[in-house]
Amino acid sequence: MSFTFASKFKIQATKVTADLDHRAKIRAALKSYETARDERKAQYQDWQAARHGAASIKWESLNHLDAYLVDFVTKLSARGTKVFWAGNAQEARDYIVALAKEKRAHTIIKSKTMTSEEIHLNEALRQAGYEVVESDLGEFIVQLRGEAPYHLVFPAMHLTRHEISDLFHEKLHSAPSEHPEELTMIARKELRFKYIQADIGISGANFGIAETGMISITENEGNGRLTTALPKVHVALMGIEKVIPRLSDLALFLPLLATAGTGQQITCYNSLIGGPRQSDEPDGPDEFHLVLLDNNRTQLLADAEQRDALHCIRCGACLNACPIFRNVGGHTYGTTYQGPIGSVITPHLRGLMDWKHLSYASSLCGACTEVCPVKINLHHHLLHNRRNAVASRPDPSERAAFRLFAFLTRYPGLVNRLARISRPLVPFVRVVKPILPAPIKGWLSSRDLPKIARESFRDYWKKR
Amino acid sequence: MNEGKREAILGRIREAVRVAAPRPHEGSGRYDSNAIEVPQTSREWLPSVPLDAEGRLNLFREKCSQLRTEFRFLSGQEGAAAALADLRNKQKWTVLGSHHHPMLDPLVQSLGLETLYVEQHPQSKSLERCSVGITACDALIAQTGSILLTARSAGGRALSVLPPHHVVVASVDQLLPDLPAAFELLYEKYGDNYPSFATLITGPSRTGDIERILVLGAHGPRDLTIILLGTNA
Amino acid sequence: MDQLFPSVGISVVRIFEKLGHTVDFKESILCCGQPAFNAGFWDESRDIAVRVLQSLSGEGPVVVPSGSCTAMVKNFYPELFRARSEAAVAEQLSRRTFEFSSFLVDQLGVTDLGSRFPARVTFHDGCHGLRELQIKRQPRLLLERVKDLTLVEMEDQTSCCGFGGTFAVKFPMISTAMGETKSASALSTEAEYLVSNDSSCLMHLQGLLNRQNKKLKTVHLAEVLASY
Ligand code: SF4
């Protein structure tokens, strides 16, 4: 298996990194985001302290997660919410499919939730015979293409307006258009009808508030609000790590998420849902179900060294900053969560041996850690994953190479002499490229070798 | 309902957190020279807000214009009625959606249009016919140009998001300085008896999902108008 | 540095001697152990690092002309030896290890070395120096004082060049794409020299530039500062 995921990644990466159009597209798409984000950050009285504060709040909730979850769930249940604890993806899927059956649903509308991608909920519902419609514009587009989201926050950022126009023309029979505005209106009209029809609305949750028993949903389009207002049944799917202690913590997290995620001061709609429709309210769903998902999160939680990876608020900032992401693109990862955070947590969620290659596919530049609004030590965790992978199953030839290297460092004089001998050979290396080991070939594919100096520093030092 | 799984998951959590993770300033402190003293409130980190009422009002106005929210500061009911009549004529409103509220009732009646009150039309889908939803709110927030409303203060969940235009009527004493104040208000106003739904609305509905280009009116209202009454109505 | 870029070491020695300091070079040290550490082979890395700890025992400051190797000794040695018998020694070494430009500026308070380098240059921040050690200001302060030198900042100046040690050979396609982006930014400044405080970044970028037959030359900060 390990061979498959890693080699798929390499094949795909080779393809996408050579695609200069892709490179330019992603760069252009992120340019306005970067400007907006930097302007917003500059307005904070203290951005670094805000990050630190957010990390401290997350530390507090994760290190006492049991207590906060119990509070959260008790409050929610008291107001009529049905809470389901799902140990893994299968249990969560089964619960939701059974609910759809019980409600005799036909159409299910969804607002953006990466957690549902994680458990492959759409496939399960479709196989059970239900129509599932993604309502976030970007998700709607990739769903029509039969693709996974390209990015945590910008699911369709890899597509141009022309590609989207062609797609709408083909699938929705709409007139072609050059204007993002017209294209958006086509989707709006199409989806309006679905909200009215839908029997069940499925959403995610960005935060769970233990103090009051509410979930918080962040969005810009209003699709999340419609999904949770119109259908008779609302199901929210939430990872157990999303709980924060107090309502007032949102005063920090909401602007932080928006600034880091999209370069906004705060997104357009930040909604709190604390139950089904109450008796004095005119509308809202009759039933509210909350599915709490573990799915190996407790395994990551048990790793104290990397526990902070569960701080993640899925803002996508680390993807945007990551030169690897920008060059290989979101689909190459083959994971639900792309970019640096995906490379860190996927080995925990889906197996270290199958997914360790993502931790090696990094120059460790640290741009991710620098931008992360909740201060996850992302690039050091890539190092930790590498160490753990070696500890459980080292690659024998690599180990031999490093042992030899460690051995040689005991004899700098010997190395010096070897270098003197091999110096005249360097210019000929390219000639014998086909018979060289893979690492040297990799280097030579695009780069010349450096020359070995006529006189080493060591020799210079001795002569003084 | 499924107590078994609940206990299994809680058990795994308790086992997992027996060893505390390094604190943010310990764990990453070594690699991060920005070790910081954490003050008690986010108010000291977030973008600053003027202390005086006029400064706040100006900030709110500025935020609205950045967000493309239509903002009207009017001295009383009459001015508000005239502003709404103007919008009615310009946008050719046919059906209004609203909820009963002492500040809204006279305004809505003055428009002389067919009106669906959510109290009488609990089927939120019928609001689909409305040209506009007119609501009250809990508070306005100067720091971000946001509106805080709940299912109880603003006629449920759909009225403020389903029609293509959302008009909010508020009085000037509802203008709060910042987000921490907004959550404080929510907490204190409702105690343990929360409405099932609250939302912070910041500008008209928008998306950037096509080439990261801003488009207004994605799924929610394309137009958002705030009418702020200078004297308490 | 020893075999591939000896002039960097020679320049460092010249600069400190000009400032009136004595320099010692530990001939027993070949490498800090970072390649093995980064690859996940912490035991092999410790094997090398232990000997570095022994060779560098004592009190005086240790100056390293590479942000990356400095970060290894200063930031990662304490982690590598955490809860081991060498922990205290590693911590002590960490405290007295400095990257070359930050040592000059922050420890010695020197920015003007009387150097002259008549050229248009652009500066690349090695990621380890920049993000592990927060070194950004220091090399620029030093370059600003060099006579006849024009410093032009490139677009996306803090983005990674794509070297990343074994990453460059394990994922050459990604490393190359990153390097291409970086060298394109450097080339568009129309500088004659691309300066950095990290030789490994420069080796990677020079390799790319040579292959593309570009005239832009890479040079280490110390070499610029040792020109008079
Ligand atoms: S790891 Fe940090 S930067 Fe990346 S998505 Fe999560 S919160 Fe955002």
Side-chain angles (χ1 to χ4, degrees), chain A residues 69-128:
Chain A
L69 266 177
V70 169
D71 275 3
F72 174 63
V73 162
T74 310
K75 286 264 153 95
L76 271 164
S77 312
R79 297 162 60 73
T81 303
K82 301 194 170 125
V83 179
F84 181 82
W85 298 73
N88 55 39
Q90 181 73 46
E91 289 170 13
R93 283 195 301 260
D94 288 352
Y95 178 78
I96 296 172
V97 171
L99 184 69
K101 197 167 167 198
E102 185 199 315
K103 300 294 162 199
R104 298 174 201 282
H106 293 285
T107 306
I108 297 169
I109 191 117
K110 284 179 68 202
S111 65
K112 195 168 161 32
T113 146
M114 290 309 288
T115 316
S116 81
E117 300 284 338
E118 178 186 330
I119 66 168
H120 302 289
L121 181 60
N122 290 6
E123 288 87 328
L125 285 167
R126 219 167 292 131
Q127 269 167 25

Side-chain angles (χ1 to χ4, degrees), chain B residues 119-137:
Chain B
E119 290 87 350
Q120 278 93 54
H121 293 85
Q123 260 292 345
S124 55
K125 288 164 190 171
S126 57
L127 294 169
E128 179 67 7
R129 283 175 53 221
C130 297
S131 334
V132 60
I134 303 179
T135 76
C137 68

Side-chain angles (χ1 to χ4, degrees), chain A residues 152 311-319 341 368 371-374 376 378:
Chain A
L152 290 179
H311 289 184
C312 179
I313 55 176
R314 308 274 186 262
C315 72
C318 58
L319 283 62
I341 184 65
C368 47
V371 296
C372 176
V374 286
I376 302 173
L378 288 159

Side-chain angles (χ1 to χ4, degrees), chain A residues 228-301:
Chain A
T228 57
L230 301 182
K232 284 290 146 224
V233 179
H234 170 205
V235 182
L237 181 62
M238 177 179 139
I240 50 170
E241 83 281 17
K242 294 270 162 93
V243 178
I244 55 175
R246 293 160 301 261
L247 188 59
S248 60
D249 294 333
L250 289 177
L252 177 61
F253 280 107
L254 298 180
L256 216 56
L257 172 57
T259 302
T262 54
Q264 290 172 280
Q265 51 168 358
I266 186 167
T267 58
C268 195
Y269 300 111
N270 285 283
S271 306
L272 289 163
I273 293 172
R277 182 173 80 88
Q278 304 294 296
S279 55
D280 59 344
E281 292 166 0
D283 63 358
D286 297 331
E287 286 182 27
F288 175 39
H289 299 252
L290 179 74
V291 179
L292 277 173
L293 182 70
D294 178 351
N295 209 26
N296 288 335
R297 283 166 174 74
T298 43
Q299 205 166 308
L300 177 51
L301 190 72

